[in-house]
């Protein structure tokens, strides 16, 4: 996975005045642009029309690293430091967020009659998180405000990589409606990973950053044995995870901002703390598969989804820019004589912006 990310800012006028936090003008490229995404899977047929399967897959590329830039702000509110300009996107050096997931599905499925199948998967997850360069937000944390500026947060940024583990499950149903049409539904629960204690001053609810639940509905048409066409609709519920879904505007009620707020829970790390402001996202996918012969299969597809971020949430989203809306894919599979298969797939996404 090779995403190209960039943010551009211009002089906004406040320059740290009026209790503002001003990201300095610049045009900065992320230096994190290569992510490996290994996958593998296997199945085993059982008696009485059932089977078991396993799959390992990864997700990476959520986050970037932005060297350079500057920010102008007052780091200690009513303290002695005053307004100054500091190096780094958020005034704390290179701004970086690395979020990587590894997941294992352990599946049991059964076919009932000729047209209906159902399955259940236990989903085991590991999620790795590392954040740096966000120390400039110290005065906006619950720790700082609750102590009236006497304590600086120690769990905000630069605390190394932390890995959390969790589990959830999937349920799926497949229905062969006719000889040429079939339909399926699948639901995955929210995967509770527990709080990231290393970053309890950054994310809402003391560092809670779970994997959101999603639901998918699809239909497939196979006019001939060698060709099939599929359409899927998926909904991902980011807003159910406070760190993803809470608006950054919540921070205006934090006492540390100096704007008259009195709600400690709205500060970074608080129960209702400021977040990335991601909305729930629908994703529409279209795909086709062609069995050229007994060995080779060709595939192509595309997916279209909304950006999870709206323009007024862009400041806090710089390290986790996720703007892609359309993806185009192509792939090929080759079946081997020992019941294994090799596959190759390519994906391209159009350039998008948030202004």
């Amino acid at each position: 996975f090779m995403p190209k990310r960039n943010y551009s800012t211009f002089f906004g006028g406040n320059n740290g005045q009026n209790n503002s936090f001003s990201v300095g003008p610049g045009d900065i490229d992320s230096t994190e642009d290569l992510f490996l995404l290994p996958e593998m899977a296997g199945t085993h047929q059982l008696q009485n029309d059932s089977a078991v399967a396993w799959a390992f897959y990864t997700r990476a590329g959520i986050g970037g690293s932005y060297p350079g830039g500057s920010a102008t702000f007052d780091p200690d509110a009513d303290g002695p430091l005053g307004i100054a300009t500091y190096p780094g996107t958020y005034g704390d050096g290179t701004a970086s967020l690395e979020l990587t997931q590894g997941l294992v599905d352990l599946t049991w499925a059964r076919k009932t009659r000729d047209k209906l199948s159902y399955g259940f998967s236990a989903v085991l997850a590991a999620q790795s998180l590392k954040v740096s360069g966000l120390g400039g937000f110290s005065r906006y944390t619950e720790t700082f405000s609750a102590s009236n500026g006497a304590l600086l947060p120690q769990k905000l940024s630069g605390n190394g990589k932390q890995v959390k583990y969790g589990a959830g499950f999937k349920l799926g149903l497949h229905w062969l409606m006719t000889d040429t049409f079939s339909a399926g539904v699948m639901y995955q629960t929210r995967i509770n990973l527990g709080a990231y204690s290393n970053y309890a001053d950054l994310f809402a609810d003391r560092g809670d950053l779970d994997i959101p639940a999603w639901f998918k509905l699809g239909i497939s048409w196979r006019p001939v044995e060698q060709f099939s066409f599929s359409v899927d609709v998926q909904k991902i519920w980011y807003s159910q995870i406070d760190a993803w879904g809470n608006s950054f505007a919540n921070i205006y009620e934090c006492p540390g901002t100096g704007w008259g707020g009195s709600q400690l829970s709205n500060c970074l790390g608080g129960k209702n703390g400021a977040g990335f402001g991601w909305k729930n996202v629908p994703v529409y996918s279209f795909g086709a598969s062609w069995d050229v012969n007994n060995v080779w299969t060709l595939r192509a597809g595309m997916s279209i989804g909304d950006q999870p971020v709206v323009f007024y949430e862009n400041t806090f989203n710089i390290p986790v820019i996720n703007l892609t809306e359309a993806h185009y894919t192509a792939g090929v599979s080759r079946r081997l004589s020992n019941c294994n298969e090799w596959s190759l797939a390519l994906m391209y996404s159009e350039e998008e912006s948030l202004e």
Side-chain angles (χ1 to χ4, degrees), residues 130-151:
K130 182 180 179 181
V131 180
S132 60
L134 273 69
F137 290 125
S138 291
R139 65 177 281 190
Y140 306 117
T141 63
E142 188 176 45
T143 297
F144 184 91
S145 293
S147 66
N148 292 317
L151 295 177

Side-chain angles (χ1 to χ4, degrees), residues 265-302:
S265 63
N266 280 35
C267 301
L268 291 175
K271 181 67 177 177
N272 194 38
F276 296 109
W278 286 22
K279 61 184 180 180
N280 297 333
V281 173
V283 181
Y284 307 94
S285 301
F286 310 87
S289 176
W290 176 36
D291 293 330
V292 180
N293 51 42
N294 293 331
V295 176
W296 294 98
T297 298
L298 303 179
R299 298 181 179 89
M302 67 174 296

